[in-house]
Amino acid sequence: MSATIYTLHRGTRPLLVSLPHDGSAIPDAIAARLTPSARRAPDTDWHVSRLYAFARELGASVLVPRHSRYVVDLNRPPDDTSLYPGRNTTGLCPAVQFSGEPVYLDGQAPDADEIAERVQIYWRPYHEALAGELARLQAGHGRVVLWEGHSIRSVVPFLFEGRLPDFNLGTADGASCSAALQDRLRGVLERQSGYSHVVNGRFKGGYITRHYGRPEHGVEAVQLELAQARYMDEDRYAYREDLAAPTQALIRALLEATLAEPASPPPAGQAARPDGR
């Protein structure tokens, strides 16, 4: 059953890359109730599993779902509490597209019982796999980083004003990872000039980042929301290798920064030297 819901590559290093919006499959019985535009699953994080394929070379674990967020959104809480109160957003079983258009034909949206069933069939298995892999990696390494890989159209007026920065790091305003890790990631972005970036801007991290990120217990979580224009043709949904290659290089640098060993504090009663040694 799990193979029809997600695929999990188990790595050897303390890094799990989760791609909860990569899936685009929609069961026929659900697709028949969607509007023609929604049947294309336009709000998919297109090609992110291809973009992150190199993560396996780094020794990372990689978790990828099969189904579209229109079936159930794996990055929303099971009680559907809004992650951004007062702002336009989409829910656990989205009724509206990022364009503001409806997902369902009139009268065809799921009721509470159907939503609960989708959570049981699709949402829970993914989260059980995610939690289990985090536990396995932490048990072997003492710490683990959960990296949430996402992408979105660079201009989505329904969700935000203007053009989105290229790289949008979210750490729940610093609550989901250590200050040291956030600083290392910010440093990687600040040392390059080819891409715009922001930390904890419009996207601060979704449910997965906020729920699983517990740096005080050795589990750090970071979300990267990437502007799709930096690796694909947003209008044709086509992957562009010429754009993707340099984008991948920067993502690799970020993932390598998560694998850097955190600095050890000096022994009790001994101050650190000014040079850090």
Side-chain angles (χ1 to χ4, degrees):
M1 178 64 180
S2 63
T4 67
I5 303 299
Y6 63 83
T7 59
L8 172 62
H9 168 80
R10 289 188 169 91
T12 59
R13 302 184 73 186
L15 174 62
L16 169 59
V17 175
S18 164
L19 306 173
H21 294 151
D22 179 81
S24 59
I26 302 174
D28 291 343
I30 295 176
R33 297 155 54 193
L34 303 187
T35 62
S37 60
R39 289 172 198 157
R40 299 180 65 197
D43 299 332
T44 301
D45 291 8
W46 295 107
H47 310 297
V48 291
S49 58
R50 180 174 178 181
L51 194 67
Y52 278 90
F54 72 87
R56 292 169 172 79
E57 302 170 10
L58 299 179
S61 295
V62 182
L63 180 62
V64 184
R66 178 170 179 265
H67 293 89
S68 167
R69 69 193 304 159
Y70 287 171
V71 177
V72 68
D73 194 326
L74 301 170
N75 201 30
R76 297 293 182 271
D79 63 1
D80 206 14
T81 300
S82 177
L83 296 173
Y84 296 97
R87 295 185 178 183
N88 285 343
T89 186
T90 57
L92 180 63
C93 287
V96 62
Q97 302 176 45
F98 289 171
S99 65
E101 300 172 273
V103 171
Y104 290 91
L105 299 169
D106 288 345
Q108 295 297 310
D111 59 17
D113 288 342
E114 182 180 353
I115 291 173
E117 182 179 36
R118 293 191 198 179
V119 168
Q120 190 65 29
I121 294 173
Y122 303 100
W123 192 97
R124 294 201 182 282
Y126 189 88
H127 282 265
E128 288 169 359
L130 192 157
E133 187 63 6
L134 286 176
R136 182 186 76 86
L137 293 172
Q138 187 179 18
H141 299 277
R143 64 178 287 268
V144 62
V145 175
L146 169 60
W147 186 272
E148 277 286 290
H150 294 259
S151 74
I152 192 170
R153 291 181 68 93
S154 53
V155 178
V156 186
F158 179 72
L159 296 181
F160 51 84
E161 295 181 2
R163 185 181 180 87
L164 193 68
D166 299 325
F167 280 69
N168 301 264
L169 280 180
T171 65
D173 287 325
S176 68
C177 77
S178 66
L181 176 55
Q182 180 170 289
D183 288 346
R184 290 202 304 273
L185 296 172
R186 189 195 302 271
V188 170
L189 293 173
E190 290 179 347
R191 286 191 294 272
Q192 59 79 44
S193 60
Y195 299 88
S196 59
H197 68 274
V198 67
V199 179
N200 291 312
R202 171 61 178 86
F203 296 98
K204 300 179 185 295
Y207 172 76
I208 293 176
T209 300
R210 303 183 198 191
H211 179 75
Y212 292 97
R214 294 292 181 268
E216 68 276 15
H217 297 301
V219 180
E220 304 186 74
V222 178
Q223 176 176 301
L224 173 61
E225 190 79 53
L226 182 67
Q228 290 177 343
R230 300 316 304 254
Y231 72 92
M232 60 175 278
D233 183 321
E234 293 183 333
D235 295 325
R236 297 190 299 113
Y237 304 154
Y239 191 82
R240 286 187 52 182
E241 187 63 47
D242 60 320
L243 296 176
T247 299
Q248 281 180 311
L250 184 51
I251 297 173
R252 178 186 285 267
L254 290 167
L255 294 189
E256 289 174 341
T258 71
L259 292 168
E261 289 296 326
S264 299
Q270 179 181 327
R273 287 172 48 178
D275 62 5
R277 290 181 288 174

